[in-house]
Amino acid sequence: MNKKRRITIAGMVVAVCAGMCLLNSAIKAEADTALPYEEGEVLLVLDSSIQKEVSEELLQPEAVSPILTGADGDVVCAVVALDDVSDNSVPTDVREAVEYYSEQPGVLYAQPNYIYEPETDVYSDLETEAAESRAGFGQWYWSALSMEQTRAYLEKANAGKIRVAVIDTGVDIGHPDLDTAINMTYSKNVCGDTYKPVTGDAGSNSHGTMVTGIIAADADNDIGMAGIASGYADVCMLQVQEAGGSISTKNAIRAIQYAKSIDSRIINMSLGIYREDLALGEALKSAAKVGALIVCSAGNNSTDQPHYPSKYPFTLGVIASGKNNTRYGSSNYGSDNFISAPGQEIYTTVAGGGYRTASGSSMAAAVVSGVAADIWACDPSMSADEVKNILASTATDIYSEGFDADSGWGIVNPLLAVRKVTGFTKYDLDIDIPNTTDGFVERLYYYCLRRDSDSAGKSTWTGVLNRKEKNGGEVAYGFLFSDEFLHKNLSDEQYIDILYRVFLNRKADSAGKASWMKALDEGVSRLYVMNGFSGSKEFGEICNNCGILSGQVRTTENRDINQGYTAYVARLYRQALGRGYDIPGLNNWAGLLNSKKWTAYQVATQGFFHSSEFTNKNLSNEDFVKTLYRTFLDREYDQAGLTDWIHALNSGKSKDEVIAGFANSKEFGELMAGYGL
């Protein structure tokens, strides 16, 4: 068994994202052997043509094992077991072997196999009994991040699942809050030469189980806690620590290689060190190249010293924030980090079926991993860079505006992030508004203007309602016909959907909606339709419950006097002139019908067929007769009738005589009856 040297480092969670890091092939940097490493092993970072460049003696199968390969199958990184090297010229001392291999052709870099240990800054006393509900233990960060609303949007968006590979100490596969979160098919113990099933959590502090809980614990089982991406994260635990053992660069790289092979979009890894580990960096770079998202904890030593892998430009360093929305005291910081997330007293799962609170950037990074999964689950077609940009653009500033070294882009905001990727707003969810005058006005702001009320406007509208100066319909008119509303340029369908919400407090039913859409298409105004809703029994009940008067708004347009007459004129525009109506003309002809000054026949003949617009079409006799069929009979021609009418015109009958023949038909009479004419 190899001897092992250890160091305790800042625990962290790494979720891997897109980006690229170039390893300078000209650098033969001296390995830092002051850091802990495995005795008897050296890691080699190789160039893409290793099989051509390096002698067979260098890559002896019994001594050298590939642990990372590129897309083309070439070896990128390998581990050398020094005791198994048959070449006596190769030193068995790690420091000397690093120097030896660094000079070999095709070796970009040689280094020790560094040792890591996950560490969270503060643990609470272990709670072995499962909590009965989230309200019972105060999962404060759940409410602080508005996760209930966020999950409502995820459900509305029919979000899918995103694969998250958690590289950590292991996980309690029997924990009642994690049984739906873990994908056992792809969860593996990667220590050793072969992948083995994960059977538990090897870490003394249940680090892997805690991270998994923060990301994906069941939110719907009414026990324990709720994961940030519960139901939307397909968690694959990649165990890199044996019971009583340590975590090495070699095992971390093996886990990354496996995570790539199962197409993980996010890789969650709890490692950190204050010295660049180029072999690990090369592995992370390879994961970034295939589109994974890299999020790293910033570390827990209250310093801005370079910390890896969070310092890499292709990673997302996460600073822990506290309950007061400032940087948590022990969290690292600095411009190498990208974003902040809650990391103080984070309640989560532990091995053995229990729960505890823990603090540190490991916890914060797990939160970001969960939020990234939520974002991606809404639109799996996005790239890692797009997810990263959404995280940054929706984060909540807590120090200076924009990016700063103490918080990155600010505290992660899952609610705004999910809204941004889905296009939803808060008005896309059903709301519960109180039955008061204030509530009545608030619902108008909510449904009509899709915004929160302003104090001055709300005060004005509630005042006129309380003083009975206006009824509910008149106040609704003030919103629906305001410049702010009209500038939205909503379609008829969108307008009707809003009327259902405002006046009936429900979604539109298909039959009713189709009827109102038809009325608008046939010429009545939007005010006419609004009055149809504001005069309903349902709206009367809403107003009564709010203690206000219901009512309608007087219309002044002729087209709103008789819906049937208006529809008749609108069809003349379409059938006779071949276009939609214009409102002044529609009001004019509807007014003549309403006043009985003109008959339907006069409007058709003198108003439309004698108009300059129609006569300027210069239709042939055939096209003229076809138009009469559509206008007066509401159908296409029959060949015999068409022939007869064309013959009549060719024989000297006037067009007015032919029009009269159609207008006196039984079919036209039945058509007019449908319009109330």
Side-chain angles (χ1 to χ4, degrees):
M1 179 181 295
N2 292 330
K3 297 179 181 179
K4 300 177 181 179
R5 301 173 59 194
R6 300 175 180 271
I7 188 171
T8 298
I9 61 169
M12 53 189 263
V13 180
V14 178
V16 181
C17 88
M20 294 187 63
C21 165
L22 296 177
L23 185 63
N24 189 340
S25 60
I27 294 179
K28 301 288 186 180
E30 180 180 355
D32 189 343
T33 51
L35 294 174
Y37 58 83
E38 294 273 7
E39 294 285 1
E41 291 184 337
V42 172
L43 300 183
L44 309 180
V45 177
L46 311 171
D47 69 15
S48 60
S49 56
I50 182 63
Q51 284 83 2
K52 303 181 183 68
E53 299 278 339
V54 183
S55 66
E56 292 182 2
E57 288 76 20
L58 178 61
L59 291 179
Q60 299 174 64
E62 68 276 10
V64 182
S65 302
I67 54 175
L68 181 69
T69 57
D72 55 3
D74 287 340
V75 178
V76 175
C77 187
V79 59
V80 181
L82 296 176
D83 291 344
D84 295 333
V85 176
S86 58
D87 186 350
N88 293 331
S89 65
V90 177
T92 56
D93 177 79
V94 169
R95 290 172 295 179
E96 295 175 358
V98 166
E99 183 176 352
Y100 170 83
Y101 280 109
S102 293
E103 300 301 323
Q104 300 305 310
V107 177
L108 299 177
Y109 187 78
Q111 68 170 65
N113 181 19
Y114 295 122
I115 294 174
Y116 300 80
E117 286 187 358
E119 178 185 272
T120 299
D121 185 51
V122 176
Y123 294 106
S124 69
D125 292 335
L126 184 64
E127 298 181 31
T128 57
E129 298 298 325
E132 291 302 319
S133 68
R134 291 197 291 278
F137 57 75
Q139 195 178 346
W140 71 268
Y141 62 97
W142 180 266
S143 55
L145 295 176
S146 301
M147 285 308 304
E148 292 292 349
Q149 288 178 278
T150 301
R151 288 181 63 79
Y153 288 111
L154 289 167
E155 182 177 354
K156 183 177 179 65
N158 294 315
K161 275 196 173 185
I162 294 298
R163 179 157 296 162
V164 181
V166 177
I167 298 176
D168 216 294
T169 59
V171 65
D172 178 3
I173 61 175
H175 198 294
D177 234 357
L178 300 179
D179 56 357
T180 63
I182 305 168
N183 184 329
M184 290 304 299
T185 299
Y186 292 116
S187 293
K188 302 292 181 183
N189 181 333
V190 303
C191 301
D193 295 331
T194 59
Y195 298 132
K196 299 168 290 186
V198 174
T199 56
D201 193 342
S204 59
N205 288 316
S206 300
H207 194 275
T209 302
M210 290 193 297
V211 167
T212 302
I214 294 169
I215 295 172
D218 194 336
D220 299 316
N221 60 0
D222 295 325
I223 64 168
M225 62 165 297
I228 296 294
S230 172
Y232 303 103
D234 179 40
V235 174
C236 304
M237 171 56 67
L238 304 184
Q239 182 179 337
V240 290
Q241 182 178 16
E242 298 281 14
S246 58
I247 299 173
S248 67
T249 301
K250 175 183 70 176
N251 286 341
I253 292 174
R254 282 171 54 82
I256 293 168
Q257 174 75 9
Y258 181 79
K260 291 194 304 177
S261 73
I262 60 173
D263 298 322
S264 302
R265 306 297 291 273
I266 299 168
I267 300 174
N268 195 301
M269 185 173 70
S270 293
L271 299 174
I273 199 168
Y274 294 92
R275 199 268 186 211
E276 187 170 11
D277 185 336
L278 289 179
L280 181 62
E282 188 70 14
L284 293 175
K285 179 183 71 172
S286 71
K289 281 184 177 180
V290 296
L293 183 71
I294 303 175
V295 183
C296 308
S297 71
N300 301 322
N301 292 97
S302 192
T303 179
D304 63 353
Q305 292 182 44
H307 177 275
Y308 293 89
S310 59
K311 181 177 172 60
Y312 285 122
F314 49 86
T315 66
L316 233 110
V318 180
I319 299 167
S321 61
K323 291 183 176 181
N324 61 355
N325 286 339
T326 59
R327 178 168 58 84
Y328 179 59
S330 66
S331 179
N332 287 359
Y333 55 96
S335 58
D336 294 330
N337 298 294
F338 185 79
I339 203 165
S340 299
Q344 179 183 8
E345 297 178 18
I346 303 301
Y347 196 91
T348 185
T349 50
V350 291
Y355 302 83
R356 70 163 26 136
T357 59
S359 302
S361 56
S362 284
M363 315 297 90
V367 170
V368 172
S369 299
V371 175
D374 288 338
I375 294 170
W376 232 333
C378 294
D379 184 1
S381 69
M382 289 191 299
S383 68
D385 277 340
E386 288 174 314
V387 175
K388 180 178 177 180
N389 289 337
I390 288 173
L391 287 167
S393 63
T394 58
T396 302
D397 282 316
I398 56 174
Y399 289 102
S400 59
E401 184 176 352
F403 185 86
D404 59 72
D406 282 302
S407 67
W409 288 104
I411 296 177
V412 66
N413 191 324
L415 181 60
L416 291 185
V418 169
R419 280 184 190 168
K420 184 166 185 175
V421 70
T422 60
F424 294 150
T425 72
K426 67 179 181 179
Y427 305 105
D428 289 298
L429 297 180
D430 291 334
I431 57 170
D432 184 18
I433 298 177
N435 290 324
T436 62
T437 306
D438 281 356
F440 180 85
V441 174
E442 192 64 43
R443 66 185 285 107
L444 292 174
Y445 276 99
Y446 191 96
Y447 287 123
C448 299
L449 304 185
R450 296 178 71 83
R451 66 173 174 87
D452 294 329
S453 61
D454 57 271
S455 57
K458 185 174 181 179
S459 176
T460 297
W461 291 116
T462 55
V464 298
L465 285 169
N466 288 330
R467 294 189 298 270
K468 311 299 183 185
E469 294 172 4
K470 290 184 181 292
N471 61 48
E474 290 170 326
V475 171
Y477 174 86
F479 282 80
L480 291 167
F481 291 87
S482 66
D483 288 341
E484 183 177 350
F485 184 85
L486 296 176
H487 286 160
K488 294 179 181 294
N489 293 316
L490 299 180
S491 67
D492 286 345
E493 182 176 7
Q494 291 171 315
Y495 176 73
I496 291 170
D497 282 337
I498 290 172
L499 295 186
Y500 269 94
R501 284 297 191 184
V502 170
F503 295 99
L504 307 186
N505 200 29
R506 62 179 173 87
K507 293 181 180 179
D509 60 277
S510 57
K513 183 175 180 179
S515 177
W516 288 117
M517 289 283 289
K518 184 173 183 291
L520 286 171
D521 184 58
E522 292 178 340
V524 297
S525 72
R526 288 189 172 187
L527 175 56
Y528 176 91
V529 174
M530 191 209 84
N531 276 334
F533 281 83
S534 63
S536 68
K537 179 181 177 181
E538 290 169 272
F539 184 60
E541 291 174 352
I542 290 173
C543 290
N544 183 60
N545 291 335
C546 292
I548 63 176
L549 299 175
S550 63
Q552 299 173 305
V553 176
R554 180 175 175 271
T555 181
T556 59
E557 293 192 79
N558 288 327
R559 60 178 174 150
D560 292 336
I561 302 302
N562 188 303
Q563 184 178 344
Y565 292 1
T566 299
Y568 170 72
V569 176
R571 78 177 300 278
L572 289 176
Y573 273 96
R574 288 193 297 270
Q575 303 296 357
L577 302 185
R579 67 172 174 89
Y581 60 83
D582 58 88
I583 293 175
L586 186 63
N587 275 318
N588 174 61
W589 301 120
L592 291 173
L593 288 174
N594 293 334
S595 65
K596 308 299 183 183
K597 292 180 179 179
W598 283 32
T599 65
Y601 175 73
Q602 286 176 297
V603 171
T605 54
Q606 297 179 47
F608 284 82
F609 288 112
H610 288 178
S611 69
S612 59
E613 182 176 351
F614 183 80
T615 57
N616 287 339
K617 291 177 179 291
N618 294 316
L619 297 180
S620 66
N621 286 342
E622 180 178 348
D623 288 337
F624 174 73
V625 174
K626 288 179 178 178
T627 301
L628 297 184
Y629 268 96
R630 299 186 192 104
T631 304
F632 290 98
L633 307 187
D634 199 29
R635 64 177 174 87
E636 292 300 319
Y637 63 91
D638 59 273
Q639 189 59 52
L642 177 64
T643 300
D644 287 344
W645 287 116
I646 292 174
H647 177 72
L649 287 169
N650 291 337
S651 300
K653 273 190 178 291
S654 69
K655 288 186 176 180
D656 279 347
E657 289 177 300
V658 174
I659 291 173
F662 277 85
N664 290 326
S665 68
K666 180 181 178 182
E667 286 179 85
F668 184 60
E670 292 173 347
L671 180 65
M672 290 303 94
Y675 291 111
L677 292 164

